[in-house]
Every structure is written in C-alpha cells, then in structure tokens.
Amino acid sequence: MPAEPAPDIDVFLSGLLFFDLVFTGLEHPPAPGTEVWTGGMGSGPGGIANFAVALSRLGLRTSLAAAFGTDVYGRYCWDVLSRQEHIDLSRSRRFPEWHSPVTVSLAYAGDRAMVTHGHAPPVPVAELAGSPPPSRATVAHLGLDTADWVHTAHQAGSLVFADVGWDPSEAWSPALLEQLACCHAFLPNEIEAMRYTRTETPEAALSTLAELVPIAVITRGGEGALAVDGTTGETASVPALPVEVLDATGAGDVFGAGFVAATLTGWPLAERLRFACLTASLSVQHFGGALAAPSWHEIAQWHARNRRPEYGFLDEVLPSETVAGIRRGPVTLGFGDDSWR
C-alpha cells in the first residue's frame, strides 16, 4: 500500500485568545489608593496566540481555531496573526458584539501578575475545533471536560501536547489528570504540577506525572526545566539561561512551542529542553508573549554570539546563510490610526 501523504498542517491548536496589555518596569505592584508609573508597555495577541505565533516563527505550518471579537482588539489580533504571522485562521470565527477577552499583565520582580476580563465565547472551543484536520501535532489546554476533538486528534495519530492554567478555585482537582490518557506530552509549571499531584517537590511531581503520560515536562522559570520521556527512557534537567527579564508574559507558552518543535525534529530529551529554554529566554527580553517569540534569525544570532558547546546541536538546523528577521508587531496597538489594518 502507498504511504499516507504527509499532513498539510504541522500543528493544530484551539483555545481561548486574549488581547494582552503589558506593563513593564514596575518596582512593585500598586497598593490601594496609589498610582504607579511604569517604564514601558506593550500589547498584542495573547492566550493560545502565544503558542501559535511561537510555532509559526519556528517554521511550523500552524492552524488555529479560536473565537475573535469584531471590536478593535479582535480585529487587531486577527490581522496580526493572519497577515504578519502567517497562521491559518480558516477554522477561526469572528463574532459581532462579543467583547474580546482582555488581560492586563504587570511585570515585576522577574515574574508577572495578571488581571483578566472576559466573557465565554459565543460557541464552545470544541465547536470551533470540530473534527481536527490531520496534523503532526496538536496543542490543547486541559480541563476537567477536555473536549472530544482532542481525543479525535489523538486517535488520528497526532501527537497531543497539553498544558493547564491557573485554577482560580485552587481546588486543583486530581481528576484533571485523567485527561492525560490521550496526551503525548504534558507541560505544567512546577506550582501546577505539585498542586495537581499533591506532592511537595517538582521531582516528586514529575515522578507521579511520568506514570500518567509518555512525556512529562515541568517548567521552573529561572530554575530551568526537568522532564522524563517514557518512550525513550530518558530523563533530563537543564538550567535556564541567564538573561535580564523584561517581561515573563507567555514564556511558558513559548517554551512549550520550542519543545514541540524540538520533538518534531527528533532531538534527544536534553536537547529538546535546552532548545525550549532558549526560546523562552529570548522571549522574556521583549514585551508580551506572542510578539516576543523568537524567530530562527534571532536564534541564529544568539548561537553565533555565544557558541555554547551544549547548544552545538543547533548547527544541524540553522541556515548556513543569515536569514531575514521577522517584523515584530507594534509595541502598542495604535488606536489613533489605521496603520495596523
């Protein structure tokens, strides 16, 4: 029998998209009754867009199913993702009179705190995803009722990479971990991992997760990342790269995109973690999440400057000639003009 044709899409994603407004340069969070001035601000698509943009900038054919408002925030996000970042939005939909979710991110002390306003999308994410298109990988955000489309993607042979978000109830129901049955990899941060597994250390959490999913990865911010790959028997722990953090918004998503790309490339586990840490480290030196994601041009520049021996594997994939850099979106959304249209 002839071999199945390769899918036209490398990675399919579906999830909630936000308009992010980021303030940087804060020395401390504002106290009630006070006003704090910041050293910088930026804006751009956020939420699932962080993952999508980071994947696309790494050269992966990326398709996103998400809800967009027709307000100024939604129009801006649609334009940036489709025109600038070349993400397929054929499965996304625009909804008149639906206010786009907005997140304000306050960056200080090497981390960030967020305030979000939003309403549920007019249709469930599962309806937008529908029957997922064939893809090499799928990115999903886990919930207690993870949608059928994720299971469908898994059954079709797509590698499912899953993450979770902060649980506002702080119940951290262990039942959520039952959703890992259809996943290839799970990439929580250390707080999420310990809370869901009821463990006291990242190492103990990793051991528990390794029994539930083929590849378990725990991100630790400035401490790096650790992982177990049950498909190869590998374990690895790598440190974060020393950088000056401007804004950590979306860094976990950019890390995840780097790990997906490295997995599809077929690198050993330690190199997959190092590459993911590199993409995240480059992103935190810019404003925002999605629009801070690095391109191969920026990765090549970093590699040429540093030539760290543990990153020698990059020589296999970096172009022999300098490639053009990506055009970053505007630092702030221009409400007073139509330049972004």
Side-chain angles (χ1 to χ4, degrees):
M1 293 181 62
E4 290 288 333
D8 294 330
I9 296 170
D10 290 314
V11 187
F12 176 69
L13 311 89
S14 190
L16 192 57
L17 183 138
F18 298 80
F19 174 77
D20 281 355
L21 182 60
V22 179
F23 293 98
T24 66
L26 289 166
E27 295 183 1
H28 53 79
T34 68
E35 179 179 11
V36 176
W37 284 70
T38 70
M41 66 169 288
S43 59
I48 193 66
N50 296 333
F51 231 120
V53 170
L55 289 164
S56 183
R57 289 186 176 184
L58 292 174
L60 294 171
R61 298 164 298 174
T62 305
S63 179
L64 171 65
F68 289 76
T70 57
D71 52 18
V72 65
Y73 310 112
R75 298 197 310 273
Y76 164 78
C77 290
W78 183 285
D79 187 78
V80 168
L81 296 180
S82 61
R83 295 189 193 180
Q84 176 181 303
E85 303 299 338
H86 310 295
I87 294 168
D88 170 42
L89 299 181
S90 60
R91 287 175 177 257
S92 294
R93 288 172 58 186
R94 305 191 206 205
F95 295 95
E97 301 182 3
W98 179 59
H99 192 291
S100 300
V102 175
T103 291
V104 174
S105 179
L106 305 176
Y108 60 92
D111 207 332
R112 80 285 183 269
M114 296 182 289
V115 180
T116 297
H117 168 75
H119 305 280
V123 300
V125 169
E127 183 176 326
L128 293 171
S131 178
S135 63
R136 298 171 66 196
T138 296
V139 173
H141 184 85
L142 290 189
L144 291 174
D145 55 348
T146 297
D148 290 341
W149 72 268
V150 178
H151 299 270
T152 301
H154 166 68
Q155 292 168 357
S158 184
L159 300 177
V160 177
F161 293 77
D163 70 353
V164 290
W166 181 264
D167 180 1
S169 72
E170 299 193 37
W172 309 100
S173 172
L176 180 139
L177 300 181
E178 297 173 6
Q179 307 300 321
L180 295 178
C182 67
C183 297
H184 179 68
F186 184 43
L187 300 92
N189 65 38
E190 60 182 347
I191 295 176
E192 296 159 348
M194 290 186 289
R195 299 287 175 81
Y196 279 115
T197 59
R198 305 300 196 267
T199 53
E200 298 298 325
T201 66
E203 292 77 13
L206 184 69
S207 179
T208 298
L209 294 175
E211 299 294 323
L212 303 175
V213 67
I215 301 175
V217 181
I218 294 179
T219 59
R220 305 191 64 198
E223 298 298 318
L226 61 162
V228 173
D229 186 340
T231 69
T232 62
E234 298 170 279
T235 62
S237 176
V238 303
L241 291 167
V243 297
E244 184 174 345
V245 177
L246 173 67
D247 175 24
T249 303
D253 296 328
V254 176
F255 175 98
F259 190 82
V260 171
T263 299
L264 295 180
T265 301
W267 286 328
L269 182 61
E271 293 178 357
R272 282 177 268 163
L273 288 184
R274 289 193 181 98
F275 184 74
C277 283
L278 172 58
T279 57
S281 294
L282 292 175
S283 76
V284 300
Q285 299 175 68
H286 298 279
F287 290 99
L291 301 185
S295 67
W296 282 113
H297 174 70
E298 290 167 288
I299 293 169
Q301 287 184 321
W302 177 89
H303 188 48
R305 287 194 307 267
N306 293 275
R307 302 303 305 182
R308 294 173 67 117
E310 68 269 34
Y311 280 87
F313 63 91
L314 290 175
D315 293 329
E316 304 170 12
V317 294
L318 291 174
S320 56
E321 298 180 2
T322 302
V323 296
I326 50 91
R327 181 178 70 85
R328 292 194 179 278
V331 174
T332 59
L333 171 55
F335 289 99
D337 60 59
D338 293 333
S339 61
W340 56 272
R341 292 182 186 274

